[in-house]
């Protein structure tokens, strides 16, 4: 199984992003997703910057993938989508069927979770359209994935998120702007002030969600490291980690250990627990509500 | 591409009503709907889904609609999990057997099935497919012969006009009802807390997950263990969902997501007509649309008057006031949703 680093979902200053990717270049990730996948108003990095980063990471031995906005709407968003689709240097992750359309036939792509593939029929359809790999929806359970793996078309790879906050919802409205009583069109790009998003707690002050502009995330960090051996048995090809600034290399090292030592995951799991802050969850994988934490230390779930 | 009509020759706009029961279907048909859209229970379903018609109810409803020249559509607008695929195919088969005039779908696998087996059954793209641009619409049109796209209720009037000018696919626009605050088909908030999500089961927050309790601080509403709101004595209670909750964000406790309002775009009808929209949709399936019969009648009158003479549409503000009263005070001004900057 390979390790992938998902695209940065928060809004970071340019220098921060570049310094982050220099560290990633020295880390154990095999695949690195690049690009803006939340809001097209963010402009610290432009398309050429992303291409420069892709080149830097390729020279460091990584596979760079250009990811795309879900729900591209404006002419400029479509224009960028077209530039990404027409690039012939790097693979593309499509999160919108418009991107699939632009990629055309004969051009393998990664079917991102934004395409909402929940069953084997849709999976077969996108494979026919050129998907070389699909990213399972965050809600997928082990039993559902097991069925889909049995029915997946040959040569189609499977990827799923195993660590990081869950991207639960996308909106056309910006909730960060709304917190400060601003409209999206005049938001002042306030999300740059929140490099890990804006926590939303219940009235009991329990962590619940995180506002990240138009994206709403779970406050809990999904952590499926103990499931890595089961995923390998199911034939999962790529494990995706959602990036945070801190510990990006250490997180990869934990998962690398789990992949390389499927009968001795505990040390890596304990180290990962040590560097993970806040609540964790693994409910979806176990067929439960996403925010539940089902598996306990040393116990391998069904 | 569609050319824009001048003000004197606005194209006929279809009035589509989403309904969830046979009586509401009849109410919509009898009060001027051009088309009624409804969910359909599986033919062998033991238990009726609470927001869909049984096969016999649908047969009755279709007869009633067709007798008055009203079209019909079956809505299967979620993304089924693997175990539900066979059932969904049966529903599509049943819909075709019943002689519906169109089927509304979101899932690509189901579109593949419907377009291959029933190529003459018009396919409408559900809002849950969240097609937001002309390339997406072209994808569906080319591969599945989708003839109409129901847009999510998040577009401004300008965006609708722009989109209408760039695609041969007919556009259907939500103009009345309770829109989701999240992009349709892109929300797992409820499944995060309850395992149920509109995208995959058709249901957002099931009633079984909602718990009310009276405490010293007020009436508390929980979805499973999560406290989503606390109401004082005279506060107006909203239907519970994670997105309608009250949360603390950076020191402020408020409703971060929900406008707590319905959508009503009646004043924008001439603009939508000029934009070349093929249909407007009153969505009564998700929540309760009080007084669906009156709401349908008002929209029918508005569409007819707009078509006869859009320049004298000024009187519509009176209609808008009636609609607001009928909606029990939960209405958002028309312009806000369709013109606010996003």
């Amino acid at each position: 199984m390979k390790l992938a680093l998902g695209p940065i979902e928060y809004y970071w200053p340019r220098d921060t992003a570049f310094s982050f990717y220099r560290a990633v270049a020295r880390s154990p990730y095999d695949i690195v997703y690049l690009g803006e996948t939340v809001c097209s108003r963010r402009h610290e990095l432009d398309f050429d910057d992303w291409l420069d980063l892709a080149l830097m990471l390729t020279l460091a031995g990584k596979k760079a993938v250009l990811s795309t906005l879900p729900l591209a709407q404006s002419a400029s968003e479509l224009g960028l989508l077209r530039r990404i689709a027409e690039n012939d240097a790097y693979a593309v992750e499509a999160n919108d069927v418009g991107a699939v359309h632009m990629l055309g036939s004969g051009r393998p792509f990664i079917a991102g979770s934004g395409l909402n593939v929940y069953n084997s029929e849709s999976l077969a359809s996108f494979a026919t359209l050129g998907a070389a790999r699909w990213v399972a929806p965050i809600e997928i359970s082990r039993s559902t994935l097991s069925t889909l793996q049995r029915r997946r078309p040959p040569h189609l790879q499977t990827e799923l998120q195993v660590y990081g906050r869950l991207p639960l919802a996308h909106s056309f409205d910006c909730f960060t702007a709304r917190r400060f009583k601003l409209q999206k069109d005049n938001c002042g790009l306030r999300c740059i002030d929140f490099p890990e998003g804006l926590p939303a707690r219940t009235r009991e002050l329990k962590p619940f969600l995180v506002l990240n502009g138009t994206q709403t995330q779970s406050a809990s960090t999904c952590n499926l490291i103990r499931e890595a051996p089961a995923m390998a048995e199911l034939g999962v090809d790529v494990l995706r980690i959602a990036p945070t600034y801190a510990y990006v290399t250490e997180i990869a090292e934990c998962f690398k250990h789990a992949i390389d030592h499927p009968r001795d995951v505990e040390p890596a799991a304990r180290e990962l627990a040590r560097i993970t802050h806040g609540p964790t969850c693994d409910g979806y994988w176990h067929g439960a509500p996403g925010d539940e934490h089902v598996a306990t230390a040393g116990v391998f779930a069904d | 591409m569609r050319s824009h009509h001048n003000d004197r020759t606005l194209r006929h706009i279809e009035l589509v009503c989403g309904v969830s029961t046979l009586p509401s279907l009849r109410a919509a048909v009898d009060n001027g709907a051009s088309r009624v859209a409804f969910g359909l229970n599986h033919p062998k379903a033991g238990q009726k889904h609470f927001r869909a018609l049984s096969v016999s109810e649908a047969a009755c409803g279709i007869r009633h609609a067709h007798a008055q020249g009203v079209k019909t559509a079956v809505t299967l607008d979620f993304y089924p999990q693997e175990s539900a695929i066979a059932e969904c195919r049966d529903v599509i088969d049943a819909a075709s057997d019943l002689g519906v005039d169109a089927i509304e779908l979101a899932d690509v696998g189901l579109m593949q099935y419907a377009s291959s087996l029933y190529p003459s059954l018009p396919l409408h793209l559900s809002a849950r497919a969240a097609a937001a641009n002309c390339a997406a619409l072209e994808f569906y049109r080319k591969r599945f012969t989708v003839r109409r796209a129901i847009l999510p209720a998040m577009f401004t009037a300008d965006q609708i006009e722009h989109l209408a000018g760039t695609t041969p696919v007919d556009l259907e626009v939500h103009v009345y009802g309770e829109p989701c605050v999240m992009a349709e088909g892109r929300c797992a908030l409820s499944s995060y807390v309850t395992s149920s999500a509109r995208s995959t089961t058709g249901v957002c927050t099931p009633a079984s997950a909602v718990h009310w309790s009276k405490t010293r601080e007020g009436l508390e509403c929980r979805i499973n263990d999560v406290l989503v709101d606390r109401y004082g004595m005279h506060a107006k209670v909203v239907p519970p969902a994670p997105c309608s909750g009250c949360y603390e964000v950076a020191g402020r406790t408020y409703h971060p997501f929900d406008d707590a309002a319905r959508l009503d775009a009646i004043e924008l009808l001439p603009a939508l007509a000029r934009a070349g929209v093929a249909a407007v949709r009153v969505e009564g399936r998700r929540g309760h649309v009080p007084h669906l019969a009156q709401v349908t009648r008002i929209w029918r009158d508005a569409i007819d008057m707009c078509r006869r003479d859009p320049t004298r549409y000024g009187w519509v503000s009176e209609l808008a006031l009636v609609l607001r009263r009928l909606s029990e005070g939960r209405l958002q001004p028309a312009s806000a949703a369709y013109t606010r900057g996003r």
Side-chain angles (χ1 to χ4, degrees), chain B residues 24-49:
Chain B
S24 57
L25 183 152
R26 289 203 180 103
V29 166
D30 295 347
N31 284 278
S34 318
R35 182 189 299 265
V36 284
F38 48 88
L40 185 64
N41 270 315
H42 186 266
K44 297 196 187 74
Q47 189 171 342
K48 182 168 149 44
H49 188 282

Side-chain angles (χ1 to χ4, degrees), chain B residues 114-128:
Chain B
S115 61
S116 337
L117 260 78
Y118 306 106
S120 58
L121 178 59
L123 231 167
H124 293 183
L125 190 70
S126 157
R128 200 148 294 140

